Amino acid sequence: MLNEELRHLRGIGMAIELIRNKWTYAVLVALLDGSMSPTELLVHINKGNVRNADLLNEWVLHEKTLLETLRRLEGEGLIVRQQLVEPQVKSAARRLTSMSEELLEALHEPAVWATRHADLLLANLRVRRGVGSAGPAPARRLKFEGGKRTPSQERWRNLGVALTMLRLRWSFSVIASLRNGPMRPTELALVINEDVDRDRHITGRRHLSDKVLWGTLRRLSTDGVIEHEGRGPGFASAAHCSLTDSGHDLLVALAPLGVWAVRHEEWLVDIMRARLRRSGNPSADRQSPDGSSGTVAW
């Protein structure tokens, strides 16, 4: 049985996993402007790529990738296609479902947090992607002018940058595990791997390795979310890691996402397990830790 705090934290993790694919977030945010056909979505998102060329270099969304993304989002209930009214129209418009509208609303506070810390997050992302501070020339294959960003576009851009940190496989696990105070890396790995064992029937995750943990700690430290001492002679170093004020603020900002996730918990768990089955992971067919075989266990 999970207590309410753990249910919310697990829910946040599943919600982040839900939008892990980089184009999922782009499609959902684009549809905030109203229903669009695939052609309109392709133009809309690629215009955004031009506006964000200082972060993306020459990323371009292609039609095949968009259609694959739309099929997945429809199958998972995040978007729905509208009925064709005019026979000459070849492709139906897509729109957000009430569930995805609620999801984007739950991301408002994380977007505020991301905007408050945008300078650091943006600078670090540019370094990691090898993009100069002035940004590269606009993507050559895109034939639009991106124009200036509106305040709303700026806010969603900042959140997108923050999500590049949170979508790293172990980032949220580290942040959540440090919520109650400092820990040694060995203790942190133990706590995270206990969570892995508990939720393996949903996530299919393997244990966090020492090497990946230290890489995650360095990344989160650079982004100002945690503080940690450098690695000592061995993994059993006496070094401690802890959340910064920024890290604690991020957990608070993510709370509405946890509320949304608990409200849709059964649906989320079903999606996570369906993804596992498609990947061929045998964990999807295992019983839950309490011995039940249902899709949801807490």
Side-chain angles (χ1 to χ4, degrees), residues 71-283:
R71 280 194 293 271
R72 177 170 46 78
L73 294 181
E74 286 180 55
E76 294 180 345
L78 288 171
I79 65 172
V80 64
R81 66 173 66 201
Q82 297 180 321
Q83 293 289 338
L84 289 172
V85 178
E86 301 177 5
Q88 69 271 22
V89 177
K90 296 182 178 181
S91 186
R94 272 65 166 185
R95 63 174 175 81
L96 297 173
T97 62
S98 59
M99 196 150 39
S100 54
E101 288 175 344
E102 292 172 11
L103 169 61
L104 291 169
E105 185 176 340
L107 288 169
H108 172 74
E109 289 303 319
V112 172
W113 178 90
T115 298
R116 196 159 57 241
H117 300 280
D119 289 346
L120 176 62
L121 296 174
L122 287 165
N124 289 339
L125 185 60
R126 290 188 183 107
V127 170
R128 290 172 186 131
R129 290 179 173 170
V131 179
S133 58
R140 291 187 294 273
R141 288 172 287 173
L142 301 178
K143 299 180 180 178
F144 329 102
E145 286 299 325
K148 293 184 178 180
R149 289 183 292 273
T150 66
S152 176
Q153 289 167 344
E154 192 73 30
R155 184 173 63 253
W156 289 114
R157 163 185 155 107
N158 292 336
L159 177 58
V161 172
L163 286 175
T164 63
M165 171 186 66
L166 287 172
R167 284 193 296 243
L168 286 177
R169 185 66 62 180
W170 298 103
S171 288
F172 181 70
S173 296
V174 168
I175 294 169
S177 297
L178 290 173
R179 67 191 182 281
N180 293 322
M183 300 177 73
R184 292 187 178 91
T186 47
E187 298 169 330
L188 181 58
L190 180 62
V191 168
I192 291 174
N193 286 329
E194 286 177 349
D195 291 341
V196 168
D197 290 335
R198 186 194 64 221
D199 294 331
R200 193 184 298 275
H201 65 294
I202 298 174
T203 66
R205 279 185 170 186
R206 297 182 178 180
H207 281 174
L208 170 62
S209 70
D210 298 357
K211 179 180 179 182
V212 173
L213 172 60
W214 282 94
T216 304
L217 293 177
R218 284 193 297 271
R219 170 73 180 260
L220 294 177
S221 177
T222 302
D223 285 334
V225 175
I226 71 165
E227 293 178 344
H228 85 106
E229 301 171 29
R231 184 169 186 170
F235 183 67
S237 162
H240 283 77
C241 36
S242 59
L243 289 180
T244 62
D245 290 343
S246 173
H248 283 292
D249 290 346
L250 176 56
L251 270 180
V252 172
L254 289 168
L257 190 59
V259 173
W260 174 87
V262 169
R263 191 161 58 242
H264 301 290
E265 189 169 36
E266 186 170 354
W267 167 76
L268 269 173
V269 170
D270 284 344
I271 287 177
M272 296 299 109
R273 296 194 67 176
R275 289 184 178 184
L276 279 183
R277 285 191 293 271
R278 288 196 297 271
S279 71
N281 192 312
S283 298

